[in-house]
Amino acid sequence: NTATVLQRHLVRLTDGTLVAVFYDNLKLVYSYSKDGGMTWSAKATIGTVTALADSSIFRDSSNNVYVAYLIDEGNLRLSKLVYDGNTVSIASGFPKNLPQTTWTETKIGIVKDKDGTLWIGYNTEQGAGGYNVQSSTTDGSTWGTGTGVGGSYGVMVLNNNGYPVTLAGGYWTGGSCYQWTGSAWVKADNVPLFNAREFCVTTTSNGYIHIVSGNFYAYYNGTAWSSGSGIDANFTIGASLVTDGTNLWCFWVGSDSDIYYKKAGAGYSWNATAVKLSSGGNCTNPSGLIYNTPGDMIPAIWTQSGANNSKVQFGLIAGYTAIPVLPVISNVSGANATTSSVTI
């Protein structure tokens, strides 16, 4: 699966239903589509926050979508969206409190492993050992003792073996990679230099771990990291990396403030020419869809602001062809509005 250090997310359920999670001013909200993104449900509130912060989502095999987020300094929350085959709603008993942190710049991650254990990852302090992981076998009601697995900023994904992997580091410093074996956290290898405040990690079906941070890409093959390479000269911010298990797609913001992407196939070499996805500029922080399979049309979400507010849009790419932006999911407003445009 894919994990991003971002404020918006998109996930596909097993029947093709799309669920988008994003901020509307100081509310974390969700909307869903059952027709491939052509129409969307009304926004529903997951929780209110005092300031925009990063969040994380994870979909399990039963189409439960877990949402972990920060509501204010030190206070983490966990919500759970459930699907009855027709509608998406918040599960009874949620949101729940998560382990507390003392640092405001919290990067949070949530996954559920093949044994049914929930894992939360978050940073507790700046410096080595600041990224902490804890587990719950009670669907988030209680949590075990924390384990430090690296530097200040981190991200957590589920590897092809069904267990979580973390990458954590400092600001433009090398970091560390840890993997859960089913009984212990084991350090896999050091991570190449990357900007840990803005990065994305995904795993492919061969067990490789891929990271994009700014205009930097590298992968871990289970033994060592690749030397790393740039993706495109017209790359400014907003790295987002997604996969269908074999191929990779990277989305980013170009110098004209529009969204671009490239594809990497076998051997993980990026196409020479980038494709422009958006128009009109004012775009930030794209985020790719979680859970793609071969043959899927590949989605992405991003922020696009207007003069007084912002809008959640829908677009489409099929393989390596950009399809024009389609209907608006929802308008969002406020000085801190975060918006999303979705591609499927």
Side-chain angles (χ1 to χ4, degrees):
N1 79 304
T2 300
T4 55
V5 182
L6 292 171
Q7 296 173 354
R8 62 207 56 79
H9 309 275
L10 178 68
V11 65
R12 179 187 283 130
L13 306 184
T14 54
D15 68 352
T17 297
L18 297 172
V19 181
V21 175
F22 52 94
Y23 282 102
D24 181 0
N25 204 354
L26 294 179
K27 293 182 178 179
L28 186 63
V29 300
Y30 73 92
S31 177
Y32 62 93
S33 171
K34 292 186 64 62
D35 56 8
M38 297 304 296
T39 60
W40 291 83
S41 70
K43 293 173 293 186
T45 300
I46 296 173
T48 57
V49 300
T50 60
L52 299 186
D54 295 322
S55 57
S56 176
I57 71 173
F58 182 83
R59 189 215 78 194
D60 67 15
S61 59
S62 298
N63 284 325
N64 300 309
V65 178
Y66 293 89
V67 184
Y69 60 101
L70 182 74
I71 63 168
D72 56 29
E73 182 177 352
N75 290 304
L76 307 178
R77 291 289 187 272
L78 175 67
S79 193
K80 178 182 178 181
L81 306 180
V82 293
Y83 179 58
D84 63 6
N86 185 45
T87 60
V88 177
S89 60
I90 297 177
S92 176
F94 286 84
K96 297 178 179 180
N97 292 331
L98 286 173
Q100 303 300 283
T101 179
T102 57
W103 203 25
T104 56
E105 293 188 46
T106 297
K107 306 302 180 186
I108 190 168
I110 182 81
V111 300
K112 189 176 187 179
D113 71 23
K114 66 179 182 181
D115 298 328
T117 299
L118 278 177
W119 289 92
I120 187 77
Y122 60 97
N123 49 311
T124 56
E125 61 184 64
Q126 190 169 8
Y131 196 71
N132 194 65
V133 293
Q134 289 181 250
S135 64
S136 172
T137 58
T138 58
D139 209 32
S141 294
T142 58
W143 294 86
T145 303
T147 301
V149 290
S152 309
Y153 302 92
V155 69
M156 177 184 290
V157 294
L158 204 65
N159 208 347
N160 67 329
N161 64 1
Y163 288 128
V165 174
T166 63
L167 277 79
Y171 185 56
W172 283 119
T173 62
S176 56
C177 174
Y178 279 76
Q179 300 189 53
W180 175 250
T181 65
S183 59
W185 284 96
V186 176
K187 186 176 181 181
D189 198 4
N190 290 326
V191 181
L193 178 74
F194 67 95
N195 181 349
R197 291 186 179 180
E198 183 185 295
F199 68 107
C200 181
V201 176
T202 193
T203 57
T204 43
S205 56
N206 58 4
Y208 283 28
I209 302 168
H210 306 261
I211 182 172
V212 168
S213 176
N215 189 24
F216 172 85
Y217 162 73
Y219 64 84
Y220 180 67
N221 63 9
T223 302
W225 286 90
S226 65
S227 57
S229 62
I231 296 174
D232 193 87
N234 182 30
F235 198 119
T236 58
I237 60 172
S240 180
L241 190 64
V242 296
T243 183
D244 62 1
T246 302
N247 303 293
L248 299 170
W249 287 262
C250 183
F251 299 87
W252 72 89
V253 180
S255 58
D256 58 356
S257 296
D258 272 314
I259 304 297
Y260 292 81
Y261 69 93
K262 279 186 175 181
K263 178 183 177 182
Y268 308 121
S269 295
W270 296 98
N271 288 46
T273 304
V275 177
K276 188 174 181 177
L277 184 57
S278 69
S279 62
N282 297 317
C283 297
T284 58
N285 297 336
S287 181
L289 176 83
I290 302 175
Y291 301 103
N292 303 291
T293 58
D296 282 342
M297 295 182 181
I298 304 299
I301 44 182
W302 66 87
T303 298
Q304 190 159 22
S305 59
N308 299 310
N309 58 20
S310 303
K311 58 185 177 181
V312 181
Q313 300 181 137
F314 178 79
L316 180 67
I317 64 170
Y320 198 55
T321 303
I323 297 176
V325 172
L326 298 174
V328 169
I329 300 176
S330 175
N331 291 317
V332 294
S333 60
N336 294 319
T338 300
T339 61
S340 310
S341 175
V342 181
T343 309
I344 181 173

